[in-house]
Coordinates of all heavy atoms in Angstrom, one line a residue:
S1 N 96.5 -169.8 -160.4 CA 97.4 -170.1 -159.3 C 98.8 -170.3 -159.7 O 99.1 -170.7 -160.8 CB 96.9 -171.4 -158.6 OG 98.0 -172.2 -158.1
Y2 N 99.7 -169.9 -158.8 CA 101.2 -169.9 -159.2 C 101.7 -171.2 -159.5 O 102.8 -171.4 -160.0 CB 102.0 -169.2 -158.1 CG 101.9 -169.8 -156.8 CD1 102.7 -170.9 -156.5 CD2 101.0 -169.4 -155.8 CE1 102.6 -171.6 -155.3 CE2 100.9 -170.0 -154.6 CZ 101.7 -171.1 -154.3 OH 101.6 -171.7 -153.1
S3 N 101.0 -172.3 -159.1 CA 101.5 -173.7 -159.3 C 101.2 -174.2 -160.7 O 101.7 -175.3 -161.0 CB 100.9 -174.6 -158.2 OG 99.5 -174.7 -158.3
L4 N 100.4 -173.5 -161.5 CA 100.1 -173.9 -162.8 C 101.3 -173.7 -163.7 O 102.1 -172.8 -163.5 CB 98.9 -173.2 -163.4 CG 97.6 -173.6 -162.7 CD1 96.5 -172.6 -163.2 CD2 97.2 -175.0 -163.1
P5 N 101.4 -174.5 -164.8 CA 102.5 -174.3 -165.7 C 102.5 -173.0 -166.4 O 101.4 -172.4 -166.6 CB 102.4 -175.5 -166.7 CG 101.0 -176.0 -166.5 CD 100.6 -175.6 -165.2
Q6 N 103.7 -172.5 -166.8 CA 103.8 -171.3 -167.6 C 104.0 -171.6 -169.0 O 104.7 -172.4 -169.4 CB 105.0 -170.5 -167.0 CG 105.1 -169.1 -167.5 CD 106.0 -168.2 -166.7 OE1 106.8 -168.7 -165.9 NE2 105.9 -166.9 -166.9
Y7 N 103.3 -170.8 -169.9 CA 103.4 -171.0 -171.3 C 103.7 -169.6 -172.0 O 103.4 -168.6 -171.4 CB 102.0 -171.5 -171.9 CG 101.6 -172.9 -171.4 CD1 100.6 -173.0 -170.5 CD2 102.3 -174.0 -171.8 CE1 100.2 -174.3 -170.0 CE2 101.9 -175.3 -171.3 CZ 100.9 -175.4 -170.4 OH 100.5 -176.6 -169.9
T8 N 104.2 -169.7 -173.2 CA 104.4 -168.5 -174.0 C 103.2 -168.3 -175.0 O 102.4 -169.2 -175.2 CB 105.7 -168.6 -174.9 OG1 105.5 -169.7 -175.8 CG2 106.9 -168.9 -174.0
R9 N 103.1 -167.1 -175.6 CA 102.1 -166.9 -176.6 C 102.3 -167.8 -177.8 O 101.3 -168.1 -178.5 CB 102.1 -165.4 -177.0 CG 101.6 -164.5 -175.8 CD 101.2 -163.1 -176.3 NE 100.8 -162.3 -175.1 CZ 99.6 -162.3 -174.6 NH1 98.6 -163.0 -175.0 NH2 99.4 -161.5 -173.5
E10 N 103.5 -168.1 -178.1 CA 103.8 -169.1 -179.2 C 103.2 -170.5 -178.8 O 102.7 -171.1 -179.7 CB 105.3 -169.2 -179.4 CG 105.9 -168.0 -180.1 CD 105.3 -167.7 -181.4 OE1 105.2 -168.6 -182.3 OE2 104.9 -166.5 -181.6
D11 N 103.4 -170.9 -177.6 CA 102.8 -172.2 -177.2 C 101.2 -172.1 -177.4 O 100.7 -173.1 -178.0 CB 103.0 -172.5 -175.7 CG 104.4 -172.7 -175.3 OD1 105.2 -173.2 -176.1 OD2 104.8 -172.3 -174.2
V12 N 100.6 -171.0 -177.0 CA 99.2 -170.9 -177.1 C 98.7 -171.0 -178.5 O 97.7 -171.6 -178.8 CB 98.7 -169.6 -176.4 CG1 97.2 -169.4 -176.5 CG2 99.1 -169.6 -174.9
K13 N 99.5 -170.3 -179.4 CA 99.1 -170.3 -180.8 C 99.0 -171.7 -181.5 O 98.4 -171.8 -182.5 CB 100.2 -169.5 -181.6 CG 99.9 -168.1 -181.9 CD 101.0 -167.6 -182.9 CE 101.3 -166.1 -182.6 NZ 102.4 -165.6 -183.4
K14 N 99.7 -172.7 -180.9 CA 99.7 -174.0 -181.4 C 98.4 -174.7 -181.1 O 98.2 -175.9 -181.6 CB 100.8 -174.8 -180.9 CG 102.2 -174.3 -181.4 CD 103.3 -175.0 -180.7 CE 104.7 -174.3 -180.9 NZ 105.7 -174.6 -179.9
H15 N 97.5 -174.1 -180.3 CA 96.3 -174.8 -179.9 C 95.1 -174.0 -180.4 O 94.5 -173.2 -179.7 CB 96.2 -174.8 -178.3 CG 97.3 -175.7 -177.8 ND1 97.2 -177.0 -177.6 CD2 98.6 -175.4 -177.4 CE1 98.3 -177.5 -177.1 NE2 99.2 -176.5 -176.9
K16 N 94.7 -174.3 -181.7 CA 93.6 -173.5 -182.3 C 92.6 -174.4 -182.9 O 91.7 -173.9 -183.7 CB 94.1 -172.4 -183.2 CG 95.2 -172.8 -184.1 CD 95.5 -171.6 -185.1 CE 96.2 -170.5 -184.4 NZ 96.6 -169.4 -185.4
N17 N 92.7 -175.7 -182.8 CA 91.6 -176.6 -183.2 C 91.4 -177.8 -182.3 O 92.3 -178.1 -181.5 CB 91.8 -177.0 -184.7 CG 93.1 -177.8 -184.9 OD1 93.2 -178.9 -184.3 ND2 94.1 -177.2 -185.5
P18 N 90.3 -178.4 -182.3 CA 90.0 -179.4 -181.3 C 91.0 -180.5 -181.2 O 91.2 -181.0 -180.1 CB 88.6 -179.9 -181.7 CG 88.0 -178.8 -182.5 CD 89.1 -178.2 -183.2
S19 N 91.6 -181.0 -182.4 CA 92.5 -182.1 -182.3 C 93.8 -181.7 -181.5 O 94.5 -182.5 -180.9 CB 92.9 -182.6 -183.7 OG 93.4 -181.6 -184.5
D20 N 94.1 -180.4 -181.5 CA 95.3 -179.9 -180.7 C 94.8 -179.2 -179.4 O 95.6 -178.6 -178.7 CB 96.1 -178.8 -181.5 CG 96.6 -179.4 -182.8 OD1 97.1 -180.5 -182.8 OD2 96.6 -178.6 -183.8
R21 N 93.5 -179.3 -179.1 CA 92.9 -178.5 -178.1 C 92.8 -177.0 -178.4 O 93.6 -176.6 -179.3 CB 93.5 -178.7 -176.7 CG 93.8 -180.1 -176.2 CD 92.6 -180.9 -176.1 NE 91.7 -180.5 -174.9 CZ 90.5 -181.0 -174.6 NH1 90.0 -182.0 -175.3 NH2 89.9 -180.5 -173.6
I22 N 91.8 -176.3 -177.9 CA 91.7 -174.9 -178.2 C 92.0 -174.1 -176.9 O 91.3 -174.2 -175.9 CB 90.2 -174.6 -178.7 CG1 90.0 -175.4 -180.0 CG2 90.0 -173.1 -178.9 CD1 88.5 -175.5 -180.4
W23 N 93.0 -173.3 -177.0 CA 93.5 -172.5 -175.9 C 93.2 -171.0 -176.2 O 93.3 -170.6 -177.4 CB 95.0 -172.7 -175.6 CG 95.4 -174.0 -175.1 CD1 94.6 -175.1 -174.9 CD2 96.7 -174.3 -174.5 NE1 95.3 -176.1 -174.3 CE2 96.6 -175.7 -174.1 CE3 97.9 -173.7 -174.4 CZ2 97.7 -176.4 -173.5 CZ3 99.0 -174.3 -173.9 CH2 98.9 -175.7 -173.4
V24 N 93.0 -170.2 -175.2 CA 92.9 -168.8 -175.3 C 93.6 -168.2 -174.1 O 93.9 -168.9 -173.1 CB 91.5 -168.3 -175.3 CG1 90.7 -168.7 -176.6 CG2 90.7 -168.6 -174.1
T25 N 93.9 -166.9 -174.1 CA 94.5 -166.2 -173.0 C 93.6 -165.1 -172.5 O 92.8 -164.5 -173.4 CB 95.9 -165.6 -173.3 OG1 95.7 -164.6 -174.3 CG2 96.8 -166.7 -173.8
Y26 N 93.6 -164.8 -171.3 CA 92.9 -163.6 -170.7 C 93.7 -163.1 -169.5 O 93.9 -163.9 -168.6 CB 91.5 -163.9 -170.4 CG 90.7 -162.7 -170.0 CD1 90.2 -161.8 -171.0 CD2 90.4 -162.4 -168.6 CE1 89.6 -160.6 -170.6 CE2 89.8 -161.3 -168.3 CZ 89.3 -160.4 -169.2 OH 88.6 -159.3 -168.9
A27 N 94.0 -161.9 -169.4 CA 94.6 -161.3 -168.3 C 95.8 -162.1 -167.7 O 95.9 -162.3 -166.5 CB 93.6 -161.1 -167.2
G28 N 96.7 -162.6 -168.6 CA 97.9 -163.3 -168.2 C 97.7 -164.7 -167.9 O 98.6 -165.4 -167.3
E29 N 96.5 -165.2 -168.1 CA 96.2 -166.6 -167.8 C 95.8 -167.4 -169.1 O 95.4 -166.8 -170.1 CB 95.1 -166.8 -166.7 CG 95.5 -166.1 -165.4 CD 94.5 -166.3 -164.3 OE1 93.3 -166.2 -164.6 OE2 94.9 -166.5 -163.2
V30 N 96.0 -168.7 -169.1 CA 95.8 -169.6 -170.2 C 94.7 -170.6 -169.9 O 94.6 -171.1 -168.8 CB 97.1 -170.4 -170.6 CG1 96.9 -171.2 -171.8 CG2 98.3 -169.4 -170.8
F31 N 93.8 -170.7 -170.9 CA 92.6 -171.5 -170.7 C 92.4 -172.5 -171.9 O 92.6 -172.1 -173.0 CB 91.3 -170.6 -170.6 CG 91.4 -169.6 -169.6 CD1 92.0 -168.3 -169.9 CD2 91.1 -169.8 -168.3 CE1 92.1 -167.3 -168.9 CE2 91.2 -168.8 -167.3 CZ 91.7 -167.6 -167.6
D32 N 92.1 -173.8 -171.5 CA 91.8 -174.8 -172.5 C 90.2 -174.8 -172.6 O 89.6 -175.4 -171.7 CB 92.3 -176.1 -172.2 CG 92.0 -177.2 -173.2 OD1 91.0 -177.0 -173.9 OD2 92.7 -178.2 -173.2
I33 N 89.7 -174.2 -173.6 CA 88.2 -174.0 -173.7 C 87.6 -175.0 -174.7 O 86.4 -174.9 -175.0 CB 87.8 -172.6 -174.1 CG1 88.4 -172.2 -175.5 CG2 88.3 -171.6 -173.1 CD1 87.7 -171.1 -176.2
T34 N 88.3 -176.0 -175.1 CA 87.8 -177.0 -176.0 C 86.4 -177.5 -175.6 O 85.5 -177.6 -176.5 CB 88.8 -178.2 -176.1 OG1 90.1 -177.8 -176.2 CG2 88.4 -179.1 -177.3
D35 N 86.2 -177.9 -174.4 CA 85.0 -178.4 -173.9 C 83.9 -177.4 -173.7 O 82.7 -177.8 -173.4 CB 85.2 -179.3 -172.6 CG 86.2 -180.4 -172.9 OD1 86.3 -180.9 -174.0 OD2 86.8 -180.8 -171.9
F36 N 84.2 -176.1 -173.8 CA 83.2 -175.1 -173.7 C 82.6 -174.6 -175.0 O 81.5 -174.0 -175.1 CB 83.7 -173.9 -172.9 CG 82.8 -172.8 -172.7 CD1 81.7 -172.9 -171.9 CD2 82.9 -171.6 -173.4 CE1 80.8 -171.8 -171.7 CE2 82.0 -170.5 -173.3 CZ 80.9 -170.7 -172.4
V37 N 83.4 -174.9 -176.1 CA 83.0 -174.3 -177.4 C 81.5 -174.6 -177.8 O 80.8 -173.7 -178.2 CB 84.0 -174.8 -178.5 CG1 83.4 -174.4 -179.9 CG2 85.3 -174.2 -178.3
D38 N 81.1 -175.8 -177.6 CA 79.7 -176.2 -177.9 C 78.7 -175.7 -176.9 O 77.5 -175.8 -177.2 CB 79.6 -177.7 -178.1 CG 80.3 -178.3 -179.3 OD1 80.6 -177.5 -180.2 OD2 80.6 -179.5 -179.3
L39 N 79.1 -175.2 -175.8 CA 78.2 -174.6 -174.8 C 78.1 -173.1 -174.9 O 77.3 -172.5 -174.2 CB 78.7 -175.0 -173.4 CG 79.0 -176.5 -173.1 CD1 79.6 -176.7 -171.7 CD2 77.7 -177.3 -173.2
H40 N 78.9 -172.5 -175.7 CA 79.0 -171.0 -175.8 C 77.7 -170.4 -176.3 O 77.2 -170.7 -177.4 CB 80.1 -170.6 -176.7 CG 80.3 -169.1 -176.8 ND1 80.5 -168.5 -178.0 CD2 80.3 -168.2 -175.9 CE1 80.6 -167.2 -177.8 NE2 80.5 -167.0 -176.5
P41 N 77.1 -169.5 -175.5 CA 75.8 -168.9 -175.9 C 76.0 -168.1 -177.2 O 75.0 -167.8 -177.9 CB 75.4 -168.0 -174.7 CG 76.1 -168.6 -173.6 CD 77.4 -169.1 -174.1
G42 N 77.2 -167.6 -177.5 CA 77.4 -166.8 -178.7 C 77.9 -167.7 -179.9 O 78.3 -167.1 -180.9
G43 N 77.7 -169.0 -179.8 CA 78.0 -169.9 -180.9 C 79.5 -169.9 -181.3 O 80.4 -169.6 -180.5
N44 N 79.7 -170.3 -182.5 CA 81.1 -170.6 -182.9 C 82.0 -169.3 -183.2 O 83.1 -169.5 -183.5 CB 81.2 -171.6 -184.1 CG 80.6 -171.0 -185.3 OD1 80.3 -169.8 -185.4 ND2 80.4 -171.9 -186.3
R45 N 81.4 -168.2 -182.9 CA 82.3 -167.0 -183.0 C 83.4 -167.1 -182.0 O 84.4 -166.4 -182.1 CB 81.4 -165.7 -182.6 CG 80.7 -165.1 -183.8 CD 79.7 -164.1 -183.3 NE 78.6 -164.7 -182.6 CZ 77.4 -164.1 -182.5 NH1 77.2 -162.9 -183.0 NH2 76.4 -164.7 -181.9
I46 N 83.2 -167.9 -180.9 CA 84.2 -168.1 -179.9 C 85.5 -168.5 -180.5 O 86.6 -168.2 -180.1 CB 83.8 -169.0 -178.8 CG1 84.7 -169.0 -177.6 CG2 83.6 -170.5 -179.4 CD1 84.1 -169.8 -176.4
L47 N 85.4 -169.2 -181.7 CA 86.6 -169.8 -182.3 C 87.5 -168.7 -182.9 O 88.7 -169.0 -183.3 CB 86.2 -170.8 -183.4 CG 85.5 -172.0 -182.8 CD1 85.1 -173.0 -183.9 CD2 86.5 -172.8 -181.9
L48 N 87.0 -167.5 -183.1 CA 87.8 -166.4 -183.6 C 89.0 -166.1 -182.7 O 90.1 -165.6 -183.1 CB 87.0 -165.1 -183.8 CG 86.0 -165.1 -184.9 CD1 85.0 -163.9 -184.8 CD2 86.6 -165.2 -186.3
A49 N 88.9 -166.4 -181.4 CA 89.9 -166.2 -180.4 C 90.9 -167.4 -180.3 O 91.8 -167.3 -179.5 CB 89.3 -165.8 -179.1
A50 N 90.6 -168.5 -181.0 CA 91.4 -169.7 -180.8 C 92.9 -169.4 -181.0 O 93.3 -168.9 -182.0 CB 90.9 -170.8 -181.7
G51 N 93.7 -169.8 -180.0 CA 95.1 -169.7 -180.1 C 95.6 -168.3 -179.7 O 96.8 -168.0 -179.8
G52 N 94.7 -167.4 -179.2 CA 95.2 -166.1 -178.9 C 94.4 -165.4 -177.8 O 93.8 -166.1 -177.0
A53 N 94.4 -164.1 -177.8 CA 93.8 -163.4 -176.6 C 92.3 -163.1 -176.8 O 91.8 -162.8 -177.9 CB 94.6 -162.0 -176.5
L54 N 91.6 -163.2 -175.7 CA 90.2 -162.9 -175.7 C 89.9 -161.3 -175.7 O 88.9 -160.9 -176.1 CB 89.5 -163.4 -174.4 CG 89.3 -165.0 -174.4 CD1 88.9 -165.4 -173.1 CD2 88.3 -165.4 -175.5
E55 N 90.9 -160.6 -175.1 CA 90.6 -159.1 -174.9 C 90.1 -158.4 -176.1 O 89.1 -157.6 -176.0 CB 91.9 -158.4 -174.4 CG 92.1 -158.7 -172.9 CD 93.0 -159.9 -172.6 OE1 93.1 -160.8 -173.4 OE2 93.5 -160.0 -171.4
P56 N 90.7 -158.5 -177.3 CA 90.1 -157.7 -178.4 C 88.7 -158.0 -178.8 O 87.9 -157.2 -179.2 CB 91.0 -158.1 -179.6 CG 92.1 -158.9 -179.1 CD 91.8 -159.3 -177.7
F57 N 88.3 -159.3 -178.6 CA 86.9 -159.7 -178.9 C 86.0 -159.2 -177.8 O 84.9 -158.8 -178.0 CB 86.8 -161.2 -179.1 CG 87.7 -161.6 -180.2 CD1 89.0 -162.2 -180.0 CD2 87.3 -161.4 -181.5 CE1 89.8 -162.6 -181.0 CE2 88.1 -161.8 -182.6 CZ 89.4 -162.4 -182.3
W58 N 86.4 -159.4 -176.5 CA 85.5 -159.0 -175.4 C 85.4 -157.5 -175.3 O 84.4 -157.0 -174.7 CB 86.0 -159.6 -174.1 CG 85.7 -161.1 -174.1 CD1 85.1 -161.8 -175.0 CD2 85.9 -162.0 -173.0 NE1 84.9 -163.1 -174.6 CE2 85.4 -163.2 -173.3 CE3 86.4 -161.8 -171.7 CZ2 85.4 -164.3 -172.5 CZ3 86.4 -162.9 -170.8 CH2 85.9 -164.1 -171.2
A59 N 86.3 -156.8 -175.9 CA 86.2 -155.3 -176.0 C 85.0 -155.0 -176.9 O 84.3 -153.9 -176.7 CB 87.5 -154.7 -176.5
L60 N 84.7 -155.8 -177.9 CA 83.6 -155.6 -178.8 C 82.3 -156.2 -178.3 O 81.2 -155.6 -178.6 CB 83.9 -156.3 -180.2 CG 85.1 -155.7 -180.9 CD1 85.4 -156.6 -182.1 CD2 84.9 -154.3 -181.3
Y61 N 82.4 -157.2 -177.5 CA 81.1 -157.9 -177.0 C 81.1 -157.8 -175.5 O 81.5 -158.7 -174.8 CB 81.1 -159.4 -177.4 CG 81.1 -159.6 -178.9 CD1 82.2 -159.8 -179.7 CD2 79.8 -159.5 -179.6 CE1 82.2 -160.0 -181.0 CE2 79.8 -159.7 -181.0 CZ 80.9 -160.0 -181.7 OH 80.9 -160.2 -183.1
G62 N 80.6 -156.6 -175.0 CA 80.6 -156.3 -173.6 C 79.8 -157.2 -172.7 O 80.0 -157.1 -171.5
V63 N 79.1 -158.1 -173.3 CA 78.3 -159.1 -172.5 C 79.2 -159.9 -171.6 O 78.7 -160.5 -170.6 CB 77.4 -159.9 -173.5 CG1 78.3 -160.9 -174.3 CG2 76.4 -160.7 -172.7
H64 N 80.5 -160.0 -172.0 CA 81.4 -160.8 -171.2 C 81.9 -160.2 -169.9 O 82.6 -160.8 -169.1 CB 82.6 -161.3 -172.1 CG 82.1 -162.0 -173.3 ND1 81.9 -161.5 -174.5 CD2 81.8 -163.3 -173.4 CE1 81.5 -162.4 -175.3 NE2 81.4 -163.5 -174.7
K65 N 81.6 -158.9 -169.8 CA 82.1 -158.2 -168.5 C 81.2 -158.5 -167.4 O 80.5 -157.7 -166.9 CB 82.2 -156.7 -168.8 CG 83.4 -156.3 -169.6 CD 83.4 -154.8 -169.8 CE 84.4 -154.4 -170.9 NZ 83.8 -153.5 -171.9
S66 N 81.2 -159.8 -166.9 CA 80.4 -160.2 -165.8 C 81.0 -161.2 -165.0 O 81.9 -162.0 -165.5 CB 79.0 -160.7 -166.3 OG 79.1 -162.0 -166.7
E67 N 80.6 -161.3 -163.7 CA 81.2 -162.3 -162.8 C 80.9 -163.7 -163.3 O 81.7 -164.6 -163.2 CB 80.6 -162.1 -161.4 CG 81.3 -162.7 -160.3 CD 80.8 -162.3 -158.9 OE1 80.4 -161.1 -158.8 OE2 80.6 -163.2 -158.1
H68 N 79.7 -163.9 -163.9 CA 79.3 -165.2 -164.4 C 80.3 -165.7 -165.4 O 80.7 -166.9 -165.4 CB 77.9 -165.1 -165.0 CG 77.4 -166.4 -165.7 ND1 77.4 -167.6 -165.0 CD2 77.0 -166.6 -166.9 CE1 76.9 -168.5 -165.9 NE2 76.7 -167.9 -167.0
V69 N 80.7 -164.8 -166.4 CA 81.6 -165.2 -167.4 C 83.0 -165.5 -166.9 O 83.6 -166.5 -167.2 CB 81.7 -164.1 -168.5 CG1 82.8 -164.4 -169.5 CG2 80.3 -164.0 -169.3
M70 N 83.4 -164.7 -165.9 CA 84.7 -165.0 -165.3 C 84.7 -166.3 -164.5 O 85.7 -167.0 -164.6 CB 85.0 -163.9 -164.2 CG 85.4 -162.6 -164.9 SD 86.9 -162.8 -166.0 CE 86.2 -162.1 -167.5
E71 N 83.6 -166.7 -163.9 CA 83.5 -168.0 -163.2 C 83.7 -169.1 -164.2 O 84.3 -170.1 -164.0 CB 82.2 -168.1 -162.5 CG 82.2 -167.3 -161.2 CD 80.8 -167.2 -160.5 OE1 79.9 -167.8 -161.0 OE2 80.7 -166.5 -159.5
I72 N 83.0 -169.0 -165.4 CA 83.1 -170.1 -166.4 C 84.5 -170.2 -166.8 O 85.1 -171.3 -166.8 CB 82.2 -169.7 -167.6 CG1 80.7 -169.7 -167.2 CG2 82.5 -170.6 -168.8 CD1 79.8 -169.2 -168.3
L73 N 85.1 -169.1 -167.1 CA 86.5 -169.1 -167.7 C 87.5 -169.8 -166.7 O 88.3 -170.6 -167.1 CB 86.9 -167.6 -167.9 CG 88.1 -167.4 -168.8 CD1 88.0 -168.1 -170.2 CD2 88.3 -165.9 -169.0
Q74 N 87.3 -169.5 -165.4 CA 88.3 -170.0 -164.4 C 88.2 -171.5 -164.3 O 89.2 -172.2 -164.0 CB 88.0 -169.4 -163.0 CG 88.4 -167.9 -162.9 CD 89.8 -167.7 -163.2 OE1 90.7 -168.4 -162.8 NE2 90.1 -166.6 -164.0
E75 N 87.1 -172.1 -164.7 CA 87.0 -173.6 -164.7 C 87.9 -174.2 -165.7 O 88.2 -175.4 -165.6 CB 85.5 -174.0 -165.1 CG 84.5 -173.7 -164.0 CD 83.1 -174.1 -164.6 OE1 83.0 -175.2 -165.2 OE2 82.2 -173.3 -164.4
Y76 N 88.3 -173.5 -166.7 CA 89.1 -174.0 -167.8 C 90.6 -173.6 -167.7 O 91.3 -173.9 -168.7 CB 88.5 -173.6 -169.1 CG 87.1 -174.1 -169.3 CD1 86.0 -173.3 -169.0 CD2 86.9 -175.5 -169.7 CE1 84.7 -173.8 -169.1 CE2 85.6 -176.0 -169.8 CZ 84.5 -175.1 -169.5 OH 83.2 -175.7 -169.6
K77 N 91.0 -173.0 -166.6 CA 92.4 -172.5 -166.5 C 93.4 -173.7 -166.6 O 93.2 -174.7 -165.8 CB 92.5 -171.7 -165.3 CG 93.9 -171.1 -165.2 CD 93.9 -169.8 -164.3 CE 93.6 -170.1 -162.9 NZ 93.6 -168.8 -162.1
V78 N 94.4 -173.6 -167.4 CA 95.5 -174.6 -167.5 C 96.9 -174.1 -167.2 O 97.8 -174.8 -167.1 CB 95.4 -175.4 -168.8 CG1 94.2 -176.2 -169.0 CG2 95.6 -174.4 -170.0
G79 N 97.0 -172.7 -167.2 CA 98.4 -172.2 -167.0 C 98.4 -170.7 -167.0 O 97.3 -170.0 -166.9
V80 N 99.6 -170.2 -166.9 CA 99.8 -168.7 -166.9 C 100.8 -168.4 -168.0 O 101.6 -169.2 -168.5 CB 100.4 -168.2 -165.5 CG1 99.3 -168.5 -164.4 CG2 101.7 -168.9 -165.2
L81 N 100.8 -167.1 -168.4 CA 101.7 -166.6 -169.4 C 103.0 -166.2 -168.8 O 103.0 -165.7 -167.7 CB 101.1 -165.4 -170.2 CG 100.1 -165.7 -171.2 CD1 99.5 -164.4 -171.8 CD2 100.6 -166.6 -172.4
Ligands
HEM1 C1 77.6 -164.5 -175.1 C2 81.0 -166.8 -172.6 C3 84.3 -165.9 -176.1 C4 80.9 -163.6 -178.6 C5 78.3 -165.2 -174.1 C6 77.7 -165.6 -172.9 C7 78.6 -166.3 -172.2 C8 79.8 -166.3 -173.0 C9 78.5 -166.9 -170.8 C10 76.3 -165.3 -172.4 C11 76.3 -164.0 -171.6 C12 75.0 -163.5 -171.2 O1 74.0 -163.5 -172.0 O2 74.9 -163.0 -170.0 C13 82.2 -166.8 -173.3 C14 83.5 -167.4 -172.9 C15 84.4 -167.1 -173.9 C16 83.7 -166.4 -174.9 C17 83.7 -168.1 -171.6 C18 85.8 -167.5 -174.0 C19 86.3 -168.6 -173.4 C20 83.7 -165.2 -177.1 C21 84.3 -164.7 -178.3 C22 83.3 -164.0 -179.0 C23 82.1 -164.1 -178.2 C24 85.8 -164.8 -178.6 C25 83.4 -163.2 -180.3 C26 84.4 -163.3 -181.1 C27 79.7 -163.7 -177.9 C28 78.4 -163.1 -178.4 C29 77.5 -163.4 -177.3 C30 78.2 -164.1 -176.3 C31 78.2 -162.4 -179.6 C32 76.0 -162.9 -177.3 C33 75.2 -164.1 -177.8 C34 73.7 -163.7 -177.8 O3 73.2 -163.3 -176.7 O4 73.1 -163.9 -178.8 N1 79.6 -165.6 -174.1 N2 82.4 -166.2 -174.5 N3 82.3 -164.9 -177.1 N4 79.5 -164.3 -176.7 FE1 80.9 -165.2 -175.6

């Protein structure tokens, strides 16, 4: 939503471990996925994307191209790029 705060990729990079929160980006939006990491069906591989973009990883793991995954992601939205 346009009312969410705007962040830069540099801001997102600062969030790559649980004590700083874990942020990722997807399609121009920013997500705080800290509370999802332990729920991820693909285990801690999710941490490879910490502080950066999901796209390169999801290009490799096509299981994420689903409405269900998009719904999960939207729950964690905290901002836009
Ligand atoms: C599976 C969500 C990031 C690797 C899944 C599934 C969900 C999910 C819901 C189960 C899909 C299904 O079986 O229908 C997410 C979300 C992510 C994320 C919300 C980011 C916020 C990643 C990343 C990687 C990854 C960055 C790899 C670097 C995998 C793999 C599976 C999987 C390998 C398959 C696990 C299996 O079936 O054994 N993910 N994922 N995921 N994810 Fe992710």
Side-chain angles (χ1 to χ4, degrees):
S1 146
Y2 60 83
S3 63
L4 287 171
Q6 190 163 14
Y7 298 108
T8 65
R9 292 196 185 276
E10 287 303 309
D11 295 326
V12 175
K13 260 191 216 170
K14 294 172 191 156
H15 297 273
K16 44 173 71 173
N17 60 66
S19 56
D20 300 321
R21 309 296 293 175
I22 297 167
W23 289 11
V24 295
T25 65
Y26 186 78
E29 297 182 321
V30 180
F31 305 89
D32 179 340
I33 60 160
T34 314
D35 297 334
F36 178 72
V37 168
D38 289 341
L39 305 175
H40 179 227
N44 64 12
R45 276 171 287 204
I46 193 172
L47 296 176
L48 291 170
L54 287 170
E55 280 90 340
F57 300 100
W58 284 4
L60 297 173
Y61 297 98
V63 69
H64 301 93
K65 283 180 194 134
S66 82
E67 198 172 318
H68 175 55
V69 171
M70 287 301 127
E71 283 169 6
I72 293 172
L73 198 53
Q74 290 303 317
E75 290 176 43
Y76 298 98
K77 185 154 68 182
V78 294
V80 297
L81 283 175

